């Protein structure tokens, strides 16, 4: 049974934005989230956990990207989340440095 055309994205530009947000944006958010966790907690445990939870989070973010009405809005949200997690990562490396 084909999808109802009124629910499909008509603009090729919006479709391109959603696809790239799903693949690249979701990946950036997933990796930056786990790196932010690794800067505050035990890095070995976070990296091992990331092997599984990273893919689950990435797939969830892909689904959310395709449910969004605007590709620009989802790209903005994903970039803001990535910057937020990078800021948390920076603070984690500043206040919780590696001591060996």
């Amino acid at each position: 049974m084909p999808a109802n055309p009124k629910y499909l994205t008509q603009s090729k530009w919006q479709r391109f934005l959603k696809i790239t947000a799903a693949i690249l944006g979701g990946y950036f958010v997933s990796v930056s989230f786990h790196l932010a966790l690794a800067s505050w907690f035990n890095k070995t445990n976070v990296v091992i956990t990331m092997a599984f939870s990273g893919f689950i989070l990435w797939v969830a973010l892909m689904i959310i990207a395709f449910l969004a009405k605007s590709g620009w809005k989802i790209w903005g949200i994903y970039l803001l989340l990535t910057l937020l997690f990078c800021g948390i990562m920076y603070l984690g490396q500043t206040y919780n440095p590696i001591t060996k």
Side-chain angles (χ1 to χ4, degrees), residues 42-65:
N42 187 356
K43 291 173 183 24
T44 307
N45 293 340
V46 173
V47 169
I48 291 171
T49 304
M50 185 181 151
F52 301 104
S53 64
F55 289 114
I56 294 170
L57 180 60
W58 190 20
V59 169
L61 290 168
M62 282 184 182
I63 293 170
I64 291 171

Side-chain angles (χ1 to χ4, degrees), residues 22-40:
I23 296 170
L24 294 176
Y27 181 75
F28 292 156
V29 172
S30 178
V31 169
S32 64
F33 171 72
H34 284 92
L35 288 175
L37 285 177
S39 68
W40 286 96

Side-chain angles (χ1 to χ4, degrees), residues 38-41 43 89-100:
S39 68
W40 286 96
F41 300 109
K43 291 173 183 24
M89 187 183 347
Y90 173 76
L91 291 174
Q93 291 175 350
T94 301
Y95 295 115
N96 191 16
I98 300 172
T99 56
K100 287 193 177 192

